[in-house]
Amino acid sequence: MIGERWFGALLVIALGVALTFLTLPLVAIFVDVGPGELVASLGEPGTLAALRLSLETTAIALAVIVLLGTPAAWLLATRSFRGRSIAVTLVELPLVVPPAVAGIALLAALGPQGILGERVSAAGPELVFQTAGVVVALTFVASPFYIRQALAAFGALDPALLEASRTLGASEARTFVAVALPNALPGLVAGGALAWGRALGEFGATLVFAGSLSGVTQTAPLAIYERFANDFTGALALSAVLVAVSATILLGAKLVSGGRVLGDARA
Amino acid sequence: MIPALRSLAVLASAFGFAGCGDDVGGGDGGKPRLTVLAAASLTEAFEQYGGQFDAAAVRLSFAGSDELAAQIRQGVEPDVYAAANTTLPEQLFEEDLVKKPVTFAGNRLVIAVPADSDEISSLDDLAAEGVKLAIGSEDVPVGAYTREVLERLAGAERGAILGNVRSNEPDVTGVTGKLTQGAADAGLLYITDVVATNGRLEAIELPDSLQPSLEYGIAVVEGADQPQAAEELIDGLLRGPGREAMEQAGFEPPPE
């Protein structure tokens, strides 16, 4: 019995340390900068442009990720084929690649001297130094977060449910749209929130692949880094906004996906 | 070194020596040890010179000039301090932390272009429509010097050049990378950065009237363990093998 109590205490201590460690730096951002300073530095040129650009590019990237990632994850979750686990690993690979490496890789593939560079510029818009390049970098870095989660959500569906749909004569496409999607929705929304959050915070791949220019490619994290050297308050203020936006997205996703934020272990 | 590491380096120096030093010259072999704090842009030249310096085993530590000055102010006592400007050594001299500094080299800002480029041959070409420029952001030294140069141009030309800027990079590496990858057509860099690319970039000189002053100062640190070897090291930079190593790296000779 005493062992039980010790174990319980150990768990509580571990959670306490983890929570303190993870929240303290974020709390410091808000403590360090007063509300007045925060509002004032938001008025600086470039700050709102950076925030707007961040919201626009992450929204477009998220749309691309969801439109492409959902069917791809469905295929990976429901079919067994040769090379499936290799495909899953490849999809997850950007998770473990350092962001700067992702940027270099994108340059090597899609840059002006990249292996697809000439074909890309012949077929569509230029990417390097362009807003479209930011979207490409965000999509590359953030999509594994969504696809992984979608894969798990589809994989957790009750096979009997899908089987029933097919037995009732529904086509594969109809089963996907009418049964799989609604039932996997909480997982998909959670994955979308994670991918969005990751895209909002993206720094290295964007800088290396797309560059940094206010209003065009300078997203909020790049603007924060530029202010860091000479305008620490400005950097803190923009950081505070970014943290608030990210937290709102995460909370919103949890509410939308039906799990109560507090007191629900499955949320 | 990225700014995020700056405070760490300073912190580390408070507890002793920031551990980014490097022994050059292969073992101490009973020779006295000479500790040199040098600006990051001196890395190649000083490693070469340090390796062939006879009077002492040279231990080099590279970082931004301001970070090194901060280390000295916090009580780190190397033998020599070499900075990428003359202001910081002069300040330390006035604070009695180093002996009288001397100017031992110069650098220049140049227009850097990929080696196979033929569309850019002068500053005026940077203002042409459609030219893609990558420069340093105004918060870093190379970007501040770049804007100093542009400030001396006529308003229309300055506006056209700034309008062609596609990226404000946080360091020289960013500018170099965008140029070597062909993403940008031109940028402004130090001549030594261009020399360090081994021919992948070419330099186009700026008119003398626009060239900002980029002089490097060096001084023996007060309380140095090896003041004599430190003097010899500086002497070699002014008129010996050190000067050769500096010129190979693209630096200008010291003023006569």
Side-chain angles (χ1 to χ4, degrees):
Chain A
M1 287 307 108
I2 289 177
E4 286 286 307
R5 196 173 300 163
W6 271 108
F7 186 61
L10 196 71
L11 297 183
V12 170
I13 291 171
L15 179 63
V17 171
L19 278 180
T20 310
F21 176 66
L22 293 176
T23 50
L24 186 68
L26 299 181
V27 169
I29 288 178
F30 292 93
V31 173
D32 238 38
V33 53
E37 279 177 302
L38 198 148
V39 172
S41 64
L42 283 184
E44 274 174 37
T47 299
L48 286 180
L51 277 173
R52 184 190 301 158
L53 185 71
S54 264
L55 290 177
E56 281 171 4
T57 51
T58 53
I60 298 171
L62 186 66
V64 173
I65 290 170
V66 169
L67 285 177
L68 214 66
T70 312
W74 174 245
L75 179 69
L76 287 173
T78 53
R79 308 283 163 84
S80 57
F81 54 91
R82 209 197 265 193
R84 180 186 170 277
S85 54
I86 294 178
V88 172
T89 309
L90 288 178
V91 163
E92 291 177 346
L93 206 52
L95 279 178
V96 293
V97 170
V101 174
I104 290 171
L106 285 170
L107 262 186
L110 308 172
Q113 294 172 4
I115 53 176
L116 294 178
E118 277 174 27
R119 263 162 273 183
V120 170
S121 53
E126 251 183 277
L127 297 175
V128 179
F129 298 145
Q130 306 294 333
T131 308
V134 177
V135 174
V136 168
L138 300 184
T139 307
F140 182 83
V141 170
S143 45
F145 286 82
Y146 177 74
I147 296 178
R148 257 171 72 100
Q149 194 82 21
L151 197 52
F154 287 138
L157 292 179
D158 185 356
L161 200 65
L162 304 175
E163 196 49 44
S165 166
R166 291 186 193 108
T167 317
L168 290 172
S171 68
E172 183 66 25
R174 185 155 167 75
T175 303
F176 171 64
V177 174
V179 181
L181 278 186
N183 282 291
L185 195 60
L188 298 181
V189 172
L194 274 181
W196 197 359
R198 176 64 188 85
L200 263 184
E202 215 299 311
F203 175 76
T206 310
L207 179 63
V208 173
F209 182 58
S212 173
L213 190 68
S214 181
V216 182
T217 54
Q218 191 181 72
T219 55
L222 298 184
I224 289 169
Y225 188 66
E226 192 175 89
R227 280 158 183 65
F228 176 64
N230 294 332
D231 177 16
F232 197 66
T233 308
L236 274 177
L238 198 45
S239 304
V241 175
L242 204 59
V243 170
V245 171
S246 305
T248 310
I249 288 172
L250 213 55
L251 282 178
K254 295 214 169 194
L255 292 173
V256 169
S257 65
R260 289 179 305 263
V261 177
L262 302 171
D264 185 348
R266 289 167 303 151
Chain B
M1 191 184 293
I2 61 170
L5 293 178
R6 221 171 254 206
S7 41
L8 266 184
V10 174
L11 198 69
S13 70
F15 294 96
F17 204 75
C20 39
D22 204 354
D23 280 334
V24 177
D28 292 359
K31 281 198 266 182
R33 167 176 282 209
L34 192 69
T35 305
V36 179
L37 299 193
S41 51
L42 294 166
T43 305
E44 249 177 67
F46 270 38
E47 278 180 348
Q48 202 200 330
Y49 175 42
Q52 64 192 63
F53 188 66
D54 283 333
V58 180
R59 183 175 190 253
L60 295 164
S61 178
F62 299 104
S65 306
D66 51 343
E67 294 154 43
L68 298 173
Q71 290 183 1
I72 292 173
R73 287 190 173 117
Q74 298 205 353
V76 174
E77 283 191 354
D79 296 288
V80 178
Y81 170 56
N85 57 41
T86 51
T87 343
L88 282 168
E90 286 294 343
Q91 281 175 8
L92 293 183
F93 174 61
E94 274 161 31
E95 294 164 30
D96 289 328
L97 292 169
V98 303
K99 297 188 178 12
K100 181 76 188 151
V102 291
T103 302
F104 71 102
N107 210 338
R108 342 190 265 288
L109 207 63
V110 294
I111 301 165
V113 295
D116 53 6
S117 155
D118 49 9
E119 54 183 308
I120 303 213
S121 55
S122 74
L123 191 63
D124 294 339
D125 294 337
L126 300 186
E129 212 181 306
V131 171
K132 286 178 275 187
L133 301 180
I135 62 174
S137 95
E138 59 187 320
D139 295 312
V140 296
V142 68
Y145 285 128
T146 299
R147 281 161 186 80
E148 199 180 313
V149 169
L150 296 179
E151 278 302 313
R152 296 178 195 168
L153 298 175
E157 185 170 23
R158 180 171 66 234
I161 292 178
L162 285 174
N164 281 337
V165 171
R166 292 295 144 84
S167 189
N168 290 303
E169 298 285 332
D171 50 31
V172 288
T173 319
V175 178
T176 309
K178 292 294 189 306
L179 290 171
T180 53
Q181 283 308 307
D185 302 318
L188 276 89
L189 285 173
Y190 303 120
I191 180 69
T192 48
D193 298 318
V194 176
V195 170
T197 64
N198 288 320
R200 281 178 301 150
L201 297 184
E202 275 172 10
I204 297 163
E205 297 292 338
L206 293 171
D208 284 346
S209 56
L210 298 178
Q211 189 60 246
S213 163
L214 294 165
E215 292 188 324
Y216 284 56
I218 194 166
V220 178
V221 177
E222 288 288 353
D225 286 340
Q226 305 292 336
Q228 203 187 333
E231 290 290 354
E232 278 178 46
L233 185 95
I234 294 175
D235 204 53
L237 278 169
L238 294 173
R239 52 194 144 253
R243 178 171 170 153
E244 262 167 54
M246 291 292 289
E247 282 176 20
Q248 261 178 36
F251 287 97
E252 309 257 298
E256 294 303 330

